[in-house]
Amino acid sequence: MHWVGAQGLSPRSQKWVMQSIPFFIAFIGLEFAVSWVQKRKLSGRINDGISSLSLGILSRLPDVLFRSVDLISYIYVWNNYRLFELPWDSPWTWYLTFLGVDFAYYCFHRISHEVNILWAAHQIHHSSEDYNLFTALRQSVLQKYTSWIFNLPMALFIPPSVFAVHLQFNLLYQFWIHTEVISNLGPLEWILNTPSHHRVHHGRNPYCIDKNYGGTLIIWDRIFGTFEAEDAEVVYGLTHPVNSFDPIMLQLRPLAHIWSTFWATPGFCNKLSVIFKGPGWGPGKPRLGLPEEIPVITGKEVPFNPSVPVYFNCYAVVHFAVIVDLYTELLGTVTMLSQGTVLLRIGFIILSLTSFGLLMENRPKAGISEIIRCLVFIGVYKLGYLRSQFSYLGYVYEILFSCCAAFWGIQIMKQISSSKDKHH
């Protein structure tokens, strides 16, 4: 990995990221509309949707600082160890790369479910108890630092330019399959990974566990015995829900669990098994754990959904839109910013996403967190370290954050006064 300061991200990679944002927004809006027509209800919840988007932004922040480990490692192997070079303009090279990238994804995806330390990163994507296009954007910060290994064999003969296109295509394809509004695609279900197949993959029903790992194609699951067709109604999320909307907590809690289990498990070999065997493993159990220990689905499962005032949701949506604006502006100007300014902007974005999580959970410290966040924004915006894409919004943001800081200050004073009255 290389620090990105003066040199920055490649113009092409910035362009891809920027162009994907309106694409995602348009399809999310379409999904909401279709869901309302079909079921007379929206396809998701505000708290879960903001959580998914927060995790998506958090997962992309390292790319602002570092070059893509996928391409850096691939190009290094290509330049130093390639055995031969397939012609980039041959259709057969493109067909082979399509299959190679998809098979590499299947292998990595399957191992991510079967090796505990990899599952600790990948389970972030499965932590939502909703299933919609927001869920597709719920990604891990750490997963990309292990997935690149599975692509390296292709670097021995497939040009990096061809590989890069198919890598992006494979990821973009998987966006649209995270939806409930598409039921069945007929004969295509035999070949492609479809919304129906991927709903099974995201289910916590016993019949769904460790099934349907494919990216674009479902043929790998059919070949290697990991395919399962959608049957009983799918209940989404982890077998042991995390019950949090805090993006930092969602990223770190699985690693903390492995750490505590590692030290609590007796025997050196058993300790290694905690890391490298399945998440359901325990001393005396098979590598992937016991199927009968998977919690039974009763149909009465209720998603984590803390009760909050309506204005909390409105507040979170407005402020999250501000963060999207600041994040998008950061992507577009990162090559012109100093390293200190980039780090400051990233720090504020992380602070904001964490504060939104506390707000959506109605935590007592959410008000204090928001006061700090609003005051930090006013300070760094005045000093010129934060900028909107739209210059005319500068004054609007200053007024908004000033009013919000005052609002939360009043709320905290009321809580303190109420607490004193109860004490007396």
Side-chain angles (χ1 to χ4, degrees):
M1 293 182 293
H2 301 283
W3 178 266
V4 177
Q7 292 179 343
L9 295 169
S10 68
R12 180 175 295 179
S13 65
Q14 288 187 61
K15 185 177 179 181
W16 289 344
V17 173
M18 297 292 286
Q19 286 183 342
S20 69
I21 294 174
F23 170 82
F24 294 152
I25 293 173
F27 275 87
I28 287 171
L30 179 62
E31 181 189 37
F32 269 73
V34 173
S35 178
W36 182 258
V37 170
Q38 289 180 341
K39 306 175 183 179
R40 287 295 184 269
K41 70 175 185 178
L42 298 179
S43 57
R45 296 169 293 151
I46 290 176
N47 48 22
D48 190 82
I50 289 179
S51 177
S52 292
L53 292 174
S54 296
L55 288 162
I57 290 176
L58 197 63
S59 72
R60 303 301 300 180
L61 288 178
D63 294 338
V64 177
L65 298 175
F66 304 105
R67 296 185 188 278
S68 168
V69 66
D70 288 301
L71 295 180
I72 289 294
S73 58
Y74 193 96
I75 291 171
Y76 177 81
V77 173
W78 169 263
N79 287 337
N80 295 279
Y81 301 105
R82 70 177 180 267
L83 302 177
F84 55 91
E85 182 175 344
L86 294 178
W88 72 268
D89 56 349
S90 169
W92 292 106
T93 300
W94 288 78
Y95 300 150
L96 179 62
T97 308
F98 170 76
L99 293 174
V101 168
D102 202 58
F103 180 63
Y105 178 82
Y106 171 85
C107 293
F108 166 71
H109 196 184
R110 181 170 179 175
I111 290 176
S112 293
H113 281 252
E114 297 184 358
V115 174
N116 202 18
I117 191 66
L118 299 181
W119 172 244
H122 182 64
Q123 70 168 278
I124 280 83
H125 181 61
H126 287 262
S127 58
S128 174
E129 294 179 275
D130 291 345
Y131 189 75
N132 49 42
L133 294 178
F134 285 127
T135 309
L137 305 177
R138 178 180 284 248
Q139 299 293 331
S140 165
V141 171
L142 300 175
Q143 180 173 296
K144 69 184 72 176
Y145 299 110
T146 53
S147 61
W148 60 273
I149 298 171
F150 293 81
N151 294 315
L152 293 187
M154 288 180 286
L156 298 175
F157 52 90
I158 292 175
S161 58
V162 181
F163 164 76
V165 171
H166 281 280
L167 183 65
Q168 295 297 312
F169 171 78
N170 192 274
L171 293 175
L172 286 173
Y173 177 89
Q174 294 178 54
F175 173 75
W176 76 278
I177 60 177
H178 292 82
T179 185
E180 290 188 291
V181 301
I182 300 174
S183 56
N184 190 283
L185 296 179
L188 293 178
E189 302 280 342
W190 285 94
I191 301 171
L192 296 177
N193 189 18
T194 64
S196 176
H197 296 330
H198 207 59
R199 284 194 290 269
V200 171
H201 180 70
H202 273 260
R204 56 178 162 132
N205 312 56
Y207 85 92
C208 297
I209 303 300
D210 296 338
K211 301 296 182 182
N212 300 359
Y213 296 112
T216 302
L217 302 174
I218 202 65
I219 59 173
W220 313 117
D221 290 284
R222 295 185 184 277
I223 292 171
F224 297 108
T226 53
F227 174 76
E228 189 69 44
E230 188 174 21
D231 187 10
E233 183 177 356
V234 178
V235 177
Y236 303 105
L238 302 169
T239 55
H240 299 88
V242 291
N243 293 339
S244 178
F245 298 124
D246 181 348
I248 302 298
M249 179 68 71
L250 288 167
Q251 297 282 353
L252 297 181
R253 183 182 290 177
L255 294 173
H257 176 70
I258 289 179
W259 177 261
S260 60
T261 306
F262 177 87
W263 289 110
T265 303
F268 180 72
C269 290
N270 284 337
K271 288 183 184 296
L272 290 180
S273 295
V274 168
I275 298 174
F276 297 110
K277 289 187 178 180
W281 177 86
K285 297 179 183 178
R287 182 176 67 89
L288 299 180
L290 297 169
E292 56 266 29
E293 291 185 349
I294 298 172
V296 176
I297 296 301
T298 63
K300 299 179 180 179
E301 289 75 17
V302 178
F304 177 63
N305 194 30
S307 177
V308 298
V310 174
Y311 70 84
F312 269 33
N313 288 329
C314 298
Y315 177 96
V317 169
V318 170
H319 278 267
F320 188 83
V322 174
I323 295 304
V324 171
D325 175 25
L326 299 178
Y327 168 68
T328 307
E329 201 274 340
L330 173 61
L331 293 179
T333 61
V334 64
T335 56
M336 298 179 286
L337 302 174
S338 68
Q339 295 176 1
T341 301
V342 171
L343 289 172
L344 185 61
R345 293 189 181 192
I346 289 175
F348 179 74
I349 290 173
I350 293 174
L351 171 63
S352 298
L353 300 180
T354 303
S355 188
F356 297 155
L358 297 176
L359 195 68
M360 293 293 89
E361 294 177 26
N362 205 7
R363 296 283 189 90
K365 295 182 180 179
I368 296 175
S369 175
E370 276 299 294
I371 287 180
I372 294 172
R373 191 181 73 87
C374 291
L375 293 177
V376 167
F377 175 88
I378 294 169
V380 295
Y381 203 90
K382 281 286 189 182
L383 294 172
Y385 292 110
L386 281 176
R387 282 288 177 267
S388 167
Q389 297 178 85
F390 314 102
S391 57
Y392 60 86
L393 287 179
Y395 294 113
V396 176
Y397 285 173
E398 288 188 44
I399 294 171
L400 172 67
F401 279 83
S402 297
C403 292
C404 290
F407 169 79
W408 289 112
I410 293 171
Q411 296 303 309
I412 290 173
M413 293 300 294
K414 286 182 178 179
Q415 291 176 7
I416 293 173
S417 176
S418 175
S419 177
K420 287 182 178 179
D421 291 342
K422 289 181 181 179
H423 181 71
H424 290 303

